[in-house]
Amino acid sequence: MALDGVDLEIGVGSFVAILGPSGCGKSTLLRLISGLETPTGGTLLVGGQSPGQASAKPQVAFVFQDAHLLPWRTVIENVALPLELRGRSRVDARRLAEKPLADVELSDAVARYPDELSGGMRMRVSIARALATEPELLLLDEPFAALDELTRQRLDERLRDLWARRKTTVLFVTHSLSEAVFLAERAIVLSRRPGRVVLDRPIGLPDRRADKIRTEVSFARETAILYEALEEHGAREDARS
């Protein structure tokens, strides 16, 4: 059993970070919400319906740790793909793909192929592809984990800005305490497997967050609170990320 007694309600338009030791069920929770896995017990509702129902709302998009771009399609063709799969014409899908690419500042890369992009750019394409369908719920499973620290911080800033403008409901799995504190309005800490909620904390920082906030005392205080929750439940090695 990956999760045990997880009782959460996620508000529409909120940004929630999920932390916990490796193997505690963080990714499983996202897969359950997305409908990729079926719960063996309990009740899970997304927009008032079970995720597996064809008519379930809201529309959900999933961004994985690997960008999973199709190497034979250009950037704009990759972003347009989910729109094409929904019946949009090729021309219409590419037109609609321009906006999410602009949102992630990749309008100048539309004709490139994935092997011509840096890791950070590929992840931005993946996020643009997820946003192309205008989802009401965006699930991100450690999307920046493989990137260097500076690239990761820049993408954190872009993602936070996108959320502030779009107010899409976001669930963001991460092992990084500083990433969770910078991005989220609320942080959920899970225990070791089977994952249980051991901390559910609103992040006490202002809505407007520039990168320099990472050096402030309030940021350090929030990070320390999350670290202590992880350490208390046997996740010390993860808490140092």
Side-chain angles (χ1 to χ4, degrees):
M1 180 168 57
L3 299 164
D4 180 26
V6 174
D7 186 1
L8 293 172
E9 182 173 344
I10 307 299
V12 174
S14 60
F15 196 127
V16 178
I18 302 172
L19 302 107
S22 298
C24 73
K26 301 183 299 297
S27 296
T28 299
L29 180 59
L30 292 195
R31 293 176 68 84
L32 289 169
I33 292 169
S34 69
L36 293 175
E37 292 189 20
T38 303
T40 57
T43 302
L44 174 61
L45 298 177
V46 180
Q49 299 187 59
S50 298
Q53 293 179 325
S55 60
K57 297 295 180 180
Q59 181 61 46
V60 179
F62 206 137
V63 177
F64 298 90
Q65 186 171 337
D66 190 304
H68 294 297
L69 303 180
L70 300 179
W72 60 87
R73 292 180 71 113
T74 63
V75 164
I76 198 162
E77 289 170 343
N78 267 285
V79 175
L81 180 60
L83 296 167
E84 293 176 28
L85 293 175
R86 293 186 176 196
R88 294 279 189 173
S89 70
R90 191 175 180 184
V91 172
D92 195 27
R94 292 189 185 189
R95 178 183 59 81
L96 292 171
E98 292 174 359
K99 175 61 166 61
L101 278 169
D103 284 341
V104 298
E105 301 179 18
L106 282 178
S107 295
D108 59 347
V110 294
R112 296 188 194 179
Y113 288 88
D115 64 359
E116 300 176 295
L117 307 177
S118 67
M121 292 174 75
R122 286 194 293 271
M123 189 50 63
R124 283 153 64 191
V125 175
S126 181
I127 291 172
R129 182 176 57 190
L131 294 175
T133 57
E134 298 188 350
E136 296 168 75
L137 175 59
L138 181 61
L139 308 175
L140 301 105
D141 191 1
E142 298 189 71
F144 309 144
L147 304 176
D148 66 85
E149 189 64 20
L150 289 178
T151 300
R152 186 171 185 159
Q153 288 187 15
R154 286 195 293 269
L155 291 180
D156 284 345
E157 290 178 50
R158 285 194 175 98
L159 181 59
R160 174 79 189 185
D161 180 62
L162 275 171
W163 170 77
R165 288 187 279 117
R166 286 174 170 256
K167 287 299 182 183
T168 302
T169 306
V170 176
L171 291 182
F172 188 97
V173 164
T174 181
H175 276 109
S176 170
L177 299 178
S178 61
E179 185 169 64
V181 171
F182 181 82
L183 284 171
E185 295 181 299
R186 174 185 172 197
I188 308 294
V189 178
L190 299 181
S191 68
R192 285 196 175 279
R193 189 182 186 100
R196 295 173 290 102
V197 176
V198 295
L199 181 69
D200 184 348
R201 177 177 175 80
I203 300 297
L205 296 176
D207 288 339
R208 296 181 63 85
R209 299 178 195 174
D211 190 50
K212 65 180 181 180
I213 201 171
R214 298 175 189 270
T215 64
E216 295 181 5
V217 172
S218 57
F219 191 93
R221 181 176 61 248
E222 293 294 334
T223 303
I225 291 169
L226 299 185
Y227 177 85
E228 288 169 6
L230 284 166
E231 185 180 49
E232 181 181 351
H233 293 273
R236 182 175 302 184
E237 68 276 15
D238 295 283
R240 298 187 186 279
S241 306

